[in-house]
Amino acid sequence: MPTIVQIQTPSPSIEVLLHPELLNALNLAILLFSLFFNLLTVNMAVRAVNTCFLFRSSSPPLRFSSSSSSSCRRNLRCCCFCCCSSSPAFVPPPPLSSNYGARLQRRSVYTLFDSVMEELRAMRKRRNNRISAASNMGLLNEELVEDRLVSRSLQKGLLLEFKKDSDRMLLAVAQRPDGKKNWMVSDQNGATSSIKPQQVTYIVPGIDNFDQADIADFIKKVQDNMDPSLLEFAWVELLEKNKSVTVEELAKIIFGSAEPLESYSTHLLLSRDEIYFTVLETKGSRSIYGPRPSEQVEDLIRSKLAKEAAEKELQEFLKLLVSAKSMASQDKPPKFSWMDDEKIRRRIEYLEAYAVDSYQNDEHRKTAGMILKAMGLAKTASSAANLLVDIGYFPVHVNLELLKSGTPTEHSEEIISVGQALLSDSSDPDENIRKDLTDLKVYAIDVDEADELDDALSATKLQDGRIKVWIHVADATRYVQPGSIVDREAMRRGTSVFLPTATYPMFPEKLAMEGMSLRQGDLCNAVTVSVVLHNDGSIAECSVVNSVIKPTYMLTYESASELLHLNLQEESELRILSEAANLRLNWRRQQGAVETATLEARIKVSNPDDPEPSIKLYVENQADPAMRLVSEMMILCGEAIATFGSQNEIPLPYRGQPQSDINVSEFAHLPEGPVRSFALVKVMRAAEIDFRKPARHGILGIPGYVQFTSPIRRYLDLLAHYQVKAFLRGEPPPFTSGKLEGIAAVVNERFKTVRKLSNNSLRYWMLEYLRREPRERRYRALVLRFLKDRIAALLLVEVGLQASTWVSVGTQVGDEILVKVEESHPRDDIICLKEVIKQ
């Protein structure tokens, strides 16, 4: 029903008929406009377009209800509408007389009100757009969003919350402006700082002059109000009403009051809530919140419960870790006990992966990092390793490099089973072409703990005075063929791994030790390389045959050197071998060979899982007669195979090392031995491999070289055996040069990994050895070179370890000094030496 409003004017009054839709629009805003009274006549009436406005002339004056303000009355008398917080309540005029319609003369005036109507429609459209965000959630409120998000400007004495850093929110009292925008505030900790407006997260309402000293008491009272269950009740009510709220409006719902204490308590509840409410809109430090849909709340509750269960499991796991750490070494739970429970096992595996940088995904990394943080440890690989050591899961001396490298330490049941079957097979594909060499005295010389014996030596003097040497190499191909499952596993490993604590063979242990290896007093299949030397040490003739031998002696380097020193008549063959080695060395030197003999350390650790295992250190001089003998015979064998392969056009891994740029005379001023060898090695170029023809090996001083003497422990040696053995049978080689090259590329990468592992493991145990030695012990050290100023690289003669330290002024390269060990930390690869000045 339209409402008629009478407006008093100097001319006869105008009646305005307002449609209900227009009254609703005027609740938002009343546009000021002029009626231009001089243009209106007594009987003029104006109807708005689409019946929204209807102005009628009438004599009764405009009457307001008692609730209308005097200002509104004055403004209307001035022909303007005023903006009020709510629509004016109008008292309708007396009922119209029956002849009212006849007296009323209507006349449309579009030009006067077109702009007014257009503006009203635009206002309505803007209002709808401003609340569209809330409309999407069905949260349409009576007031404008802008009205509810009016922020209070900063001023002295306000109590506010601000973001100190990414993890901390602090309460503070505003003190004074600091520049154009910043403010100085005094926080709950008593600190004064300058903050930016965007750091303010909430201004506590209803406080104008708060005392900083009262913040602590205010916080305590707030904590007493923190009951998250209050949000759930408010969520139910607001979801039913489809309403959004400000912090203060919600405070009235859950506390019945929007006083400072209740308002800030509500703000904290909302800021910590992750389930019931979401922020619809934010402006400065003010936000409007809306209840989440019930389906979403259910999902969030389930997620929260799962998270709480996981947190409970984590806390129980942390208790286990703390308990295990506090136990004595002998009482710590064994490794297998951590594997019984699936959830515990999984977390232990995450920590283990973190310790060796091998976690499978980011979630595993985060879980391990969270455990370390909860234990008060840095999120580093070493912290994870130390924690696993402390709980007894890792032994004290765990080889992290071994775990990182992914080196297999065991053979699968399938490989072991196949290896056992091969041992049981007595057939020999080369039986008819094997040469019986069991009449030769055969010497196998190796380190005392060698498990895989794959080469041995024999020698005699021919009637013309020349020396004939036989190098017998274990015939691994008697048991394994190219492409077989055992061969593929050997190729995957690439090499046997020799560590101070254990040996991990390339082949299954039983097959390697009992089948392939040379054994004293047993008939053994071998591939024998025989060489006749000229008197100058060069090769006169060579041949390769399948053979059967019966090793006579298994000697260590120490025992072989002792026999050579004794010069026993009954061991004349050993003396001939030594003579042949000397001939070869002299000949190679004449061909430009570079001497690189040095000191080499070897360590054997018994019971490595014990906190204090037994360590045996051996330092071997490569210039030792027995070591020199074996080394020269291995080089001779390599040259002979390269010659044999070249003569018969066999694709092999021919090794070369061009060294034309090395002038040995430039190093003559350095003492012969480790010091000179060290300097020469620094300028050497890497070896190269050609798979078609031999290439000169400048360092060894020979025209070609093929590694052939370790088929049980090196896969490239086994490849050479496959090729040579096929030729001896009259068959084509199993691999072309291109195929050999592809296999070698993969195997060499694996070999580099194992070499790094072996070197790092050896160094760890050398440092552990030095850590245990008495502090007062003194060590001889050779100065190898100067690194910077007076910092010199040293070689500890009794240990075979390279390290560095400051040396006194006047010390030269090649000098021998005394040092002592100040500190040694194997896990961190740290050793600190100090020169002992001779008195």
Side-chain angles (χ1 to χ4, degrees), residues 484-501:
S484 65
I485 184 173
V486 176
D487 170 73
R488 293 197 304 271
E489 177 64 14
M491 182 170 63
R492 185 177 75 89
R493 293 171 177 252
T495 178
S496 294
V497 182
F498 300 95
L499 303 179
T501 53

Side-chain angles (χ1 to χ4, degrees), residues 566-597:
L566 293 173
N567 196 22
L568 299 175
Q569 184 63 37
E570 55 269 28
E571 301 300 337
S572 59
E573 293 86 352
L574 190 59
R575 291 203 318 273
I576 295 172
L577 282 170
S578 180
E579 184 181 344
N582 290 330
L583 284 175
R584 286 291 299 171
L585 177 59
N586 291 331
W587 180 80
R588 289 195 306 106
R589 284 174 175 171
Q590 292 171 8
Q591 308 307 308
V594 179
E595 274 294 303
T596 58

Side-chain angles (χ1 to χ4, degrees), residues 379-621:
K379 293 192 283 187
T380 62
S382 60
S383 293
N386 290 334
L387 175 59
L388 292 172
V389 169
D390 290 341
I391 66 173
Y393 181 80
F394 277 168
V396 173
H397 299 289
V398 58
N399 192 334
L400 294 177
E401 290 294 332
L402 177 63
L403 298 176
K404 289 179 182 179
S405 69
T407 298
T409 57
E410 296 179 353
H411 284 277
S412 68
E413 290 297 328
E414 182 183 14
I415 296 295
I416 293 173
S417 177
V418 172
Q420 185 63 44
L422 290 173
L423 275 175
S424 303
D425 185 0
S426 59
S427 63
D428 176 10
D430 300 309
E431 183 177 6
N432 294 331
I433 58 173
R434 286 196 185 277
K435 188 173 182 179
D436 187 353
L437 298 177
T438 55
D439 59 320
L440 294 176
K441 183 180 284 188
V442 178
Y443 297 90
I445 305 172
D446 210 328
V447 296
D448 57 355
E449 68 273 9
D451 297 317
E452 302 168 350
L453 294 174
D454 45 17
D455 56 73
L457 304 170
S458 299
T460 189
K461 273 203 174 182
L462 302 177
Q463 291 182 352
D464 59 7
R466 293 184 302 175
I467 296 176
K468 183 174 183 178
V469 174
W470 290 268
I471 302 102
H472 311 287
V473 183
D475 189 1
T477 63
R478 152 73 173 77
Y479 295 97
V480 60
Q481 299 300 317
S484 65
I485 184 173
V486 176
D487 170 73
R488 293 197 304 271
E489 177 64 14
M491 182 170 63
R492 185 177 75 89
R493 293 171 177 252
T495 178
S496 294
V497 182
F498 300 95
L499 303 179
T501 53
T503 297
Y504 305 111
M506 185 171 73
F507 290 109
E509 185 174 0
K510 198 168 185 180
L511 177 63
M513 309 308 173
E514 297 181 13
M516 298 176 175
S517 290
L518 303 179
R519 300 171 304 282
Q520 183 176 2
D522 291 346
L523 294 177
C524 303
N525 292 330
V527 179
T528 297
V529 179
S530 62
V531 181
V532 176
L533 298 176
H534 285 302
N535 292 332
D536 64 353
S538 61
I539 295 178
E541 55 186 79
C542 65
S543 65
V544 182
V545 297
N546 291 297
S547 64
V548 177
I549 63 171
K550 189 175 184 180
T552 312
Y553 294 115
M554 294 294 184
L555 302 176
T556 64
Y557 287 113
E558 292 80 2
S559 59
S561 292
E562 186 177 351
L563 284 175
L564 288 171
H565 178 72
L566 293 173
N567 196 22
L568 299 175
Q569 184 63 37
E570 55 269 28
E571 301 300 337
S572 59
E573 293 86 352
L574 190 59
R575 291 203 318 273
I576 295 172
L577 282 170
S578 180
E579 184 181 344
N582 290 330
L583 284 175
R584 286 291 299 171
L585 177 59
N586 291 331
W587 180 80
R588 289 195 306 106
R589 284 174 175 171
Q590 292 171 8
Q591 308 307 308
V594 179
E595 274 294 303
T596 58
T598 185
L599 300 178
E600 191 172 88
R602 184 167 50 87
I603 284 182
K604 190 68 175 177
V605 179
S606 303
N607 303 318
D609 288 347
D610 291 348
E612 293 288 327
S614 171
I615 302 176
K616 291 183 179 180
L617 173 67
Y618 308 89
V619 179
E620 299 163 342
N621 188 342

